[in-house]
């Protein structure tokens, strides 16, 4: 029985694009929303997509969702635990 | 003079509008000839009406969502089991399903998977059928009949030749599997397998028979049934399964890892992550409501799934999830199990900051919503 098959989660049609954004862009985002980093929505370090893109705790992930209302929606999540 | 395509693109480039509004604006502009002055006017008006359509700050968006989902919910059938589309697979629908989704149940009552196939499998019925036999959990009862012989004190399995060929098995393979799983010696004689219990006791023989029945000879444990049907819209074979095991099914060759999915939100979360879980909640809730002939604006459902997934894990709405985590004691006490919340808070000496809506309603203060949220300050003219 084969149990190993590697494939990218990003390719699945239910998984939106996740992008690790650099520090200076993070500050821009926080300023735009007027919030602290901790007030952003969270994403867990153990989340399969985070494992795949290799982010670390404290990183901010930019998620580009396909939205039924806006076409494309950008949200940010803070990597925790 | 009409403006060129380039000017249109440039001017609509960085507007603070959602992508699909920009797209709609562009495609409409292509059809008409406008001057630069008119284009500016159009953009200005578009921005104006977008601003007008946006929800106002401090608006009680959550309450509006709750009512918008709750009211159609009253019209849903209390108990419906239905067959999912062409495939005769039983799925929970209606109100029980909706409750299941917002409660983020670990195990929904009728888990089901939709397995899409890769190109070479999707158009070939035989290949698809073969894959289905590989995925479906095969028990002894599928490939033969099991009987206990009390006089000889043995277990006899008569294999059905047609069934084992169809499932791509051989008598030896089955015997080997049984030996591995049960730790017994299996004597194979053509299509008859005989097993003797270690000790010649009636109880042991019965136990052995029970264990043999539960051995999975082939396939994925949770998948009880696989139905193949041709999807007319995409014109390819799609498999629907009773039972769900996303992780185990995705490793099969021929399974399309970009489209295959399950109706179990928690499984989606474990395999594909939080963002996929959010999409899954939206999809499942919308489908459930639509199946009942109810139209609820997707924004309300999106708000619910946003709240459920905001902390990086799928949380239930209700006492064990969102509502149970409110900071305010009074707000929690107002929801469910009032006394225990008040008692616990008293024991711990909790302080209520009176920042939320519920607690301010309880103590009779203006709530921090709408105009109540705004404090007006003026500097004195000197």
């Amino acid at each position: 029985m084969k149990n190993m098959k590697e494939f990218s989660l990003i390719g699945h049609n239910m998984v939106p694009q996740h992008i690790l954004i650099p520090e200076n862009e993070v500050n821009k985002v926080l300023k735009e929303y007027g919030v602290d980093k901790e007030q952003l929505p969270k994403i867990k370090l153990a989340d399969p997509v985070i494992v795949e893109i290799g982010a670390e705790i404290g990183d901010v992930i930019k998620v580009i969702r396909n939205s039924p209302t806006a076409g494309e929606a950008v949200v940010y999540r803070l990597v925790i635990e | 003079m009409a403006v060129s395509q380039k000017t249109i693109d440039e001017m609509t480039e960085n507007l603070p509008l959602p992508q699909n509004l920009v797209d709609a604006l562009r495609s409409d502009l292509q059809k008409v000839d406008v001057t630069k002055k008119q284009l500016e006017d159009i953009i200005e008006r578009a921005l104006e009406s977008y601003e007008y359509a946006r929800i106002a700050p401090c608006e009680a968006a959550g309450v509006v969502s709750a009512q918008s989902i709750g009211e159609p919910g009253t019209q849903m059938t209390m108990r419906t089991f239905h067959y999912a589309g062409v495939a005769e697979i039983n799925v929970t629908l209606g109100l029980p399903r909706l409750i299941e989704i917002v409660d983020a149940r670990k195990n929904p009552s009728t888990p089901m998977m939709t397995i899409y196939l890769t190109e070479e499998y999707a158009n070939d019925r035989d290949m698809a059928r073969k894959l289905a036999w590989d995925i479906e959990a095969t028990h002894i009862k599928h490939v033969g009949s099991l009987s206990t012989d009390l006089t000889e004190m043995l277990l006899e399995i008569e294999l059905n030749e047609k069934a084992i060929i169809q499932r791509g098995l051989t008598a030896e393979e089955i015997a080997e599997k049984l030996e591995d799983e049960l730790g017994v010696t299996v004597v194979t004689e053509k299509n008859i397998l005989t097993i003797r219990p270690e000790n010649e006791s009636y109880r042991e023989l019965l136990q052995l028979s029970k264990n043999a029945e539960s051995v999975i000879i082939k396939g994925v444990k949770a998948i009880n049934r696989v139905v193949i049907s041709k999807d007319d819209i995409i014109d390819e074979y799609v498999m629907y399964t009773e039972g769900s095991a996303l992780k185990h099914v995705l490793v099969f060759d021929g399974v399309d890892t970009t489209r295959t999915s399950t109706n179990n939100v928690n499984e989606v979360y474990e395999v594909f992550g939080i963002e996929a879980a959010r999409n899954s909640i939206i999809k499942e809730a919308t489908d459930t409501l639509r199946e009942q002939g109810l139209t609820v604006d997707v924004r309300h459902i999106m708000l619910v799934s946003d709240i459920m997934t905001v902390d990086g894990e799928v949380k239930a709405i209700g006492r064990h999830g969102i509502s149970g985590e409110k900071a305010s004691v009074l707000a929690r006490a107002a929801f469910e199990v009032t006394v225990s919340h008040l008692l616990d808070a008293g024991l711990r000496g909790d302080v209520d900051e009176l920042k939320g809506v519920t607690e301010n309603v309880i103590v009779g203060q203006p709530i921090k919503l709408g105009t109540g949220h705004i404090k007006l300050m003026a500097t004195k003219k000197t």
Side-chain angles (χ1 to χ4, degrees):
Chain A
M1 193 66 195
K2 63 232 175 277
N3 273 322
M4 279 303 180
K5 177 172 162 192
E6 283 202 7
F7 59 93
S8 174
L9 297 170
I10 311 287
H12 197 276
N13 59 9
M14 271 163 83
V15 183
Q17 207 181 343
H18 291 58
I19 304 161
L20 180 61
I21 58 169
E23 197 66 29
N24 56 345
E25 208 175 316
V26 173
N27 293 331
K28 226 163 72 192
V29 169
L30 296 179
K31 206 164 173 195
E32 190 193 323
Y33 285 101
V35 292
D36 294 333
K37 218 171 171 183
E38 283 66 38
Q39 286 173 290
L40 289 174
K42 315 292 188 301
I43 188 162
K44 294 212 161 165
L45 189 65
D47 196 276
V49 182
I50 294 303
V51 174
E52 186 170 324
I53 64 172
E56 280 163 36
I57 291 172
D59 285 343
V60 174
I61 306 293
K62 180 181 183 180
V63 181
I64 304 172
R65 291 174 182 161
N66 285 323
S67 161
T69 49
E72 199 174 77
V74 177
V75 288
Y76 298 88
R77 281 185 189 266
L78 174 72
V79 182
I80 51 160
E81 271 176 19
Chain B
M1 193 196 76
V3 289
S4 69
Q5 183 61 39
K6 198 167 157 250
T7 339
I8 292 177
D9 284 348
E10 266 169 26
M11 285 186 73
T12 51
E13 178 90 56
N14 282 315
L15 293 175
L17 288 176
Q19 191 55 46
N20 62 350
L21 284 187
V22 175
D23 292 344
L25 202 58
R26 278 182 185 167
S27 75
D28 283 354
L29 283 171
Q30 267 166 25
K31 288 177 214 147
V32 286
D33 278 344
V34 285
T35 62
K36 178 129 192 192
K37 180 82 194 60
Q38 283 172 319
L39 180 59
E40 276 167 9
D41 204 27
I42 288 168
I43 289 173
E44 195 181 309
R45 290 229 209 148
L47 288 174
E48 221 169 79
S49 35
Y50 175 64
E51 196 54 45
Y52 181 71
R54 277 190 359 158
I55 192 161
C58 307
E59 181 82 47
V63 174
V64 176
S65 276
Q67 291 177 341
S68 305
I69 298 171
E71 193 278 333
T74 61
Q75 296 167 45
M76 291 178 97
T77 36
M78 295 301 283
R79 197 169 284 272
T80 20
F81 275 88
H82 209 277
Y83 295 109
V86 266
E88 52 281 9
I89 282 179
N90 223 350
V91 284
T92 317
L93 288 171
L95 198 59
R97 177 65 185 145
L98 196 63
I99 292 170
E100 220 170 69
I101 296 163
V102 295
D103 272 354
R105 297 256 169 85
K106 280 263 143 50
N107 302 302
S109 58
T110 49
M112 186 204 136
M113 287 182 75
T114 311
I115 304 175
Y116 289 93
L117 306 170
T118 50
E119 225 180 324
E120 68 263 41
Y121 284 80
N123 297 310
D124 187 332
R125 194 176 166 91
D126 295 331
M127 294 269 272
R129 192 70 255 175
K130 203 169 158 288
L131 183 61
W133 289 130
D134 284 344
I135 290 173
E136 191 177 296
T138 303
H139 292 267
I140 287 289
K141 63 167 195 264
H142 294 123
V143 289
S145 54
L146 192 136
S147 56
T148 46
D149 190 332
L150 291 178
T151 50
E152 296 283 327
M153 286 304 270
L154 53 78
L155 197 66
E156 201 174 75
I157 301 163
E158 200 187 332
L159 297 173
N160 180 336
E161 203 165 343
K162 248 168 119 184
I164 61 172
I165 291 169
Q166 192 179 36
R167 285 172 194 255
L169 288 160
T170 61
E172 285 73 31
E173 270 172 28
I174 297 169
E176 206 172 297
K177 188 81 197 171
L178 286 172
E179 279 179 345
D180 282 356
E181 297 282 325
L182 301 172
V184 291
T185 339
V186 181
V187 183
T188 320
E189 208 177 302
K190 271 188 186 167
N191 281 330
I192 294 169
L193 308 180
T194 44
I195 309 169
R196 276 178 198 280
E198 250 172 67
N199 306 310
E200 282 210 353
S201 88
Y202 180 61
R203 246 184 72 200
E204 209 156 299
L205 186 65
L206 273 187
Q207 190 60 46
L208 189 66
S209 149
K210 242 187 212 155
N211 291 346
E213 266 174 36
S214 62
V215 168
I216 291 149
I217 301 168
K218 195 180 180 182
V220 181
K221 195 180 166 194
I223 310 290
N224 298 319
R225 211 154 62 89
V226 179
V227 176
I228 300 177
S229 87
K230 185 135 193 169
D231 192 311
D232 289 329
I233 302 162
I234 52 173
D235 191 39
E236 55 182 74
Y237 288 106
V238 180
M239 305 202 291
Y240 300 93
T241 69
E242 217 175 271
S244 171
L246 196 54
K247 217 192 241 167
H248 302 283
V249 168
L250 286 174
V251 300
F252 281 92
D253 282 330
V255 172
D256 188 343
T257 55
T258 65
R259 292 178 295 166
T260 297
S261 189
T262 167
N263 70 353
N264 184 348
V265 173
N266 271 292
E267 238 184 291
V268 173
Y269 167 57
E270 272 162 34
V271 180
F272 290 125
I274 193 70
E275 281 292 328
R278 177 182 171 276
N279 285 333
S280 175
I281 295 169
I282 297 171
K283 181 180 171 289
E284 294 300 325
T286 327
D287 286 354
T288 308
L289 287 163
R290 189 176 29 206
E291 191 276 334
Q292 297 273 302
L294 305 166
T295 30
V296 173
D297 194 292
V298 71
R299 289 170 187 86
H300 302 309
I301 299 163
M302 279 159 73
L303 182 68
V304 170
S305 55
D306 271 339
I307 284 293
M308 286 174 72
T309 56
V310 75
D311 284 331
E313 58 185 344
V314 181
K315 275 198 188 137
I317 305 279
R319 183 174 19 158
H320 303 290
I322 310 296
S323 302
E325 281 178 9
K326 283 183 183 169
S328 161
V329 183
L330 291 175
R332 269 182 284 132
F335 182 59
E336 270 172 12
V337 279
T338 310
V339 178
S340 72
H341 274 130
L342 292 177
L343 189 64
D344 287 349
L347 284 171
R348 283 198 301 263
D350 286 353
V351 175
D352 200 314
E353 304 272 344
L354 299 182
K355 281 189 172 154
V357 176
T358 322
E359 50 271 40
N360 278 305
V361 171
I362 293 171
V363 299
Q365 287 186 36
I367 57 167
K368 291 190 169 157
L369 265 182
T371 49
H373 199 68
I374 294 156
K375 287 196 187 94
L376 191 61
M377 278 192 268
T379 30
K380 205 170 163 190
K381 234 182 185 175
T382 46

